[in-house]
Amino acid sequence: MNEPITYEGGCHCGAVRFQVKVEKHEATDCNCSICTKKGFLHLIVPAENFTLLQGENELTTYTFNTGIAKHIFCRVCGIHSFYRPRSHPDSFDVNVHCLDGEVEERFHIVPFDGRNWEQNIEQLRSDIP
């Protein structure tokens, strides 16, 4: 897919809803401890391509290690629909699994060795706008 497409998505309970404009249908599957446990499939987009539609008051944030990444999630159902990643702190990282409909097959999935994050982060930064 070469044309930008706008998707909507949200958390499990529906309290949090967002819209994202996708210009490149490529997602990253990270094997680090938190991504593996959350089942996060990463779609990093510039901040201008992300709009929170509802639920700002239902969001809470978890940070660890350097504190740069802001792991945002719904305080009602606990789902991590999106967050501010350490690799791209001025962008949003959307969980492809939280997009409406069955759209995962539209994305090229690229594995990322997040267990060795420090050694591999430049690869991730060079692959995403």
Side-chain angles (χ1 to χ4, degrees):
M1 301 204 155
N2 295 330
E3 293 185 32
I5 296 177
T6 300
Y7 296 96
E8 287 194 13
C11 65
H12 187 257
C13 71
V16 176
R17 298 289 300 159
F18 64 87
Q19 187 175 70
V20 62
K21 183 171 113 179
V22 177
E23 296 180 3
K24 183 177 182 183
H25 282 77
E26 184 172 289
T28 304
D29 188 8
C30 178
N31 67 358
C32 80
S33 62
I34 194 165
C35 294
T36 299
K37 288 180 183 282
K38 288 193 302 186
F40 210 99
L41 189 55
H42 301 267
L43 171 64
I44 300 176
V45 298
E48 61 269 14
N49 288 4
F50 180 87
T51 305
L52 181 61
L53 300 174
Q54 71 180 43
E56 183 174 359
N57 293 336
E58 303 300 341
L59 295 172
T60 192
T61 303
Y62 169 67
T63 60
F64 68 98
N65 195 9
T66 64
I68 295 171
K70 305 301 180 206
H71 296 271
I72 303 164
F73 61 97
C74 175
R75 67 182 180 93
V76 177
C77 66
I79 296 298
H80 295 243
S81 303
F82 60 89
Y83 77 107
R84 300 291 265 203
R86 177 178 168 196
S87 63
H88 298 76
D90 295 329
S91 299
F92 281 91
D93 192 343
V94 173
N95 188 347
V96 172
H97 293 134
C98 291
L99 298 176
D100 293 346
E102 296 184 19
V103 299
E104 187 176 326
E105 65 274 0
R106 296 179 184 177
F107 290 83
H108 173 68
I109 310 300
V110 178
F112 176 72
D113 183 11
R115 289 184 187 139
N116 298 293
W117 201 88
E118 298 297 337
Q119 294 87 353
N120 295 309
I121 189 54
E122 291 310 317
Q123 171 196 349
L124 184 62
R125 287 186 177 139
S126 67
D127 290 347
I128 299 174

